Amino acid sequence: MEADERDRSGYAGAGGSGGGGGSVTVRRGVPAGAEPRAAALYWEAFGRKLGPALNPPDKAVPFIAAHLDPERAVCALLDGELVGLAGYQLDGRSLTGGSAAAVLRAYGRVRGLPRLLLLALFERRPAPGQLVMDGIAVDARMRGRGVGSLLLQEVAALATEAGCREIRLDVIDTNPRARALYERRGFTAVRTERTPYLRRLLGFGAVTTMRRTLGPGEAA
């Protein structure tokens, strides 16, 4: 996908990627050729959660990269380097994918079947008028510099353009920093599903669903 004509910029703050400050450009779509980098960032953010289903990492990251939908992400770039992305589900398509057959091809039938059961736990389908977030991943060197807020702002803009009335996302109980970001951007917790029996397996014991209502022409 080519860069969106309405790319937006924001100041990344001192330090930046590689130790320098700079302006972060936010664009829609994963740049051509950046799928491996996008998959690596996604795994860095969600590998603990997805590990039981997709480990080992040297197999998981290429699998994610091979099945990314580049048109279902908003990306943050600094000096041409991908430093953050926000995935979303819309119109039946999402950032991360991979059919059951693809999982079985990659991991084999014996090891693949239990992995499919674990992946099914993470399935979230949008209701009519909703955009569902697939998560935000930001380079560790850029955290705390407003990149997540820039990504959420652009996701809200495209959701409004698509006629969505709200954005929905899930956040796990071991990620309070992400929840604090969502609350600052106007998201409200509406339900918490407690799964203590999965804590040892997946590393978290509760998932909170959060929503943010969008008005006409509104951005987060």
Side-chain angles (χ1 to χ4, degrees), residues 177-192:
R177 184 170 183 167
R179 178 164 178 165
L181 167 64
Y182 300 140
E183 289 173 341
R184 289 196 303 271
R185 304 306 301 180
F187 287 83
T188 301
V190 295
R191 181 179 69 254
T192 297

Side-chain angles (χ1 to χ4, degrees), residues 119-138:
L119 289 170
L121 295 175
F122 305 129
E123 286 289 327
R124 296 291 186 271
R125 300 293 183 186
Q130 279 186 342
L131 179 146
V132 171
M133 295 281 298
D134 269 345
I136 292 181
V138 176

Side-chain angles (χ1 to χ4, degrees), residues 24-215:
V24 171
T25 299
V26 176
R27 55 158 285 168
R28 299 179 186 181
V30 177
E35 293 86 356
R37 169 66 173 161
L41 282 176
Y42 197 85
W43 184 256
E44 180 183 332
F46 302 107
R48 177 65 184 88
K49 175 181 176 181
L50 298 175
L54 296 179
N55 271 330
D58 61 356
K59 185 181 287 282
V61 174
F63 181 86
I64 293 171
H67 298 285
L68 282 179
D69 185 336
E71 295 187 2
R72 287 296 178 265
V74 170
C75 292
L77 304 173
L78 180 62
D79 297 330
E81 180 187 4
L82 183 63
V83 295
L85 75 158
Y88 60 92
Q89 297 183 44
L90 187 64
D91 297 331
R93 294 163 56 190
S94 60
L95 172 64
T96 55
S99 65
V103 172
L104 296 178
R105 282 195 302 270
Y107 293 92
R109 181 169 294 275
V110 173
R111 295 183 177 180
L113 287 173
R115 293 170 187 268
L116 289 174
L117 295 175
L118 289 173
L119 289 170
L121 295 175
F122 305 129
E123 286 289 327
R124 296 291 186 271
R125 300 293 183 186
Q130 279 186 342
L131 179 146
V132 171
M133 295 281 298
D134 269 345
I136 292 181
V138 176
D139 189 310
R141 299 167 294 176
M142 297 294 293
R143 291 171 191 165
R145 299 189 173 103
V147 174
S149 291
L150 288 172
L151 292 169
L152 281 172
Q153 180 179 337
E154 190 64 15
V155 168
L158 70 85
T160 301
E161 292 169 20
C164 295
R165 297 186 299 274
E166 69 176 16
I167 301 173
R168 192 183 94 217
L169 56 85
D170 292 327
V171 61
I172 59 178
D173 58 351
T174 56
N175 198 353
R177 184 170 183 167
R179 178 164 178 165
L181 167 64
Y182 300 140
E183 289 173 341
R184 289 196 303 271
R185 304 306 301 180
F187 287 83
T188 301
V190 295
R191 181 179 69 254
T192 297
E193 181 181 357
R194 303 191 185 281
T195 53
Y197 51 89
L198 294 177
R199 184 174 295 278
R200 291 188 66 182
L201 176 63
L202 300 178
F204 61 91
V207 178
T208 297
T209 298
M210 305 184 76
R211 295 179 180 173
R212 187 199 193 283
T213 301
L214 297 171

